[in-house]
Structure formats: C-alpha cells, structure tokens
Amino acid sequence: TLFPYTTLFRSEGVNGDELLLLKTAALYYSLGYTSKYQYPGRAGVNLAKNTLPKSGYTSDQIKEISEILLGIEEPKTKLQKILRDADTFYFWGDNSSERLELLGQEFEEKGYTPLRKEERKDNKYFTRSAKISEKKRKRNQENKETFRRIKL
C-alpha cells in the first residue's frame, strides 16, 4: 500500500510531477524486494527500465525515478530523502513488527536472510515530517510504558 508513503509525500509538500515520480519510485522500490531484497532499489531500477517505457514514461522521467531508487541507501536529494524516510517509517516505525515478521517468513522461504528490527536501530530521518512523527511515536511509546507501570 502506498498510503503511509503518500501521507509523508504530501506532508513534505510534494505534488504534481514530483508526486508522480515519487509514487512510481515507491512502487518500484517495493517491487524490487520481490527479486532482490538486499538491494531493492537496484532491482527496482531494472524493473522500471524494462516496464515504464511501455506505460508512457519518458526517458527523463525514468532517469529521475532511477536516481531516486539508487539514492535511497544514502539519500542526497529531496525526493531520495523523502522516499528513504517513508520506507524507514513504514518498515521500522510503530506497528512494524507484524510486517517484519511476515516479510521475514517470506524471505526465509526464498532462502534470504530475514530482516530483523534490531538491524536498523540507527534509523535516521531526513525530513522534517518524519522527524516530528518519530518524536510523537517515541512519546506515545513512553506514555504506554508509563501507564503499563502504573497499572502494575
């Protein structure tokens, strides 16, 4: 689903052509997990280059989408940072345990090394919106822990 992604995209003021490019990159990033989960950006680029021309995307658009995908590991541009934050927040933020467990089962079935939440303890957010959301998430978690202690 793109909903968690598009929420961040819009809160960062992405619209028009940039929104199309970012949504497309997000889809191809997710598709990249189906063929090579360690490097979904690279796999997504290969898929995009093979399929997007048939969908009417221009070579310039495909180049921009490819740059977004290739830059997600060490983002430098605005769109790379937004996609990285969306991916990080979706897979490593609140309510991610079930997603990681299901994805881990699928990876093990395919013979891949499963994802582990502890592998991304150093999550760093690049966008203002993701940083604010992360602060809220941490505050909510602290509040839950406080209420849990009070109940005991």
Side-chain angles (χ1 to χ4, degrees):
T1 178
L2 278 180
F3 177 73
Y5 287 75
T6 55
T7 302
L8 180 62
F9 299 169
R10 292 200 187 278
S11 66
E12 284 297 312
V14 179
N15 51 45
D17 291 339
E18 281 188 331
L19 185 59
L20 173 68
L21 296 173
L22 202 48
K23 282 183 173 182
T24 305
L27 286 171
Y28 277 86
Y29 189 75
S30 295
L31 286 171
Y33 276 110
T34 64
S35 61
K36 192 160 188 159
Y37 102 91
Q38 292 97 337
Y39 305 105
R42 293 182 209 166
V45 167
N46 292 334
L47 291 166
K49 286 181 177 179
N50 289 323
T51 59
L52 289 178
K54 298 171 193 159
S55 298
Y57 282 77
T58 67
S59 58
D60 286 343
Q61 288 174 315
I62 295 168
K63 181 181 177 200
E64 287 185 60
I65 291 165
S66 297
E67 288 172 1
I68 295 168
L69 290 168
L70 293 173
I72 196 168
E73 291 305 317
E74 294 183 33
K76 293 179 179 40
T77 70
K78 171 187 165 185
L79 297 182
Q80 290 169 348
K81 290 176 182 179
I82 293 171
L83 183 56
R84 168 64 181 268
D85 281 358
D87 181 65
T88 300
F89 204 75
Y90 182 71
F91 277 108
W92 309 103
D94 253 3
N95 304 319
S96 63
S97 296
E98 186 178 327
R99 279 190 294 275
L100 286 173
E101 186 176 325
L102 292 172
L103 200 53
Q105 290 170 4
E106 183 179 332
F107 288 168
E108 285 177 346
E109 289 170 9
K110 292 182 177 184
Y112 300 150
T113 304
L115 294 168
R116 304 262 184 248
K117 190 162 186 162
E118 59 272 9
E119 290 175 6
R120 296 278 295 261
K121 284 183 181 175
D122 64 336
N123 290 338
K124 176 183 176 186
Y125 291 100
F126 297 90
T127 62
R128 182 178 182 277
S129 301
K131 289 175 184 175
I132 291 169
S133 293
E134 180 63 5
K135 283 181 184 176
K136 287 179 182 177
R137 185 193 70 77
K138 284 182 179 178
R139 193 174 25 228
N140 286 341
Q141 186 62 35
E142 290 168 2
N143 289 340
K144 285 179 187 178
E145 289 172 15
T146 300
F147 288 130
R148 215 175 284 132
R149 283 193 301 268
I150 292 171
K151 281 184 170 181
L152 298 175

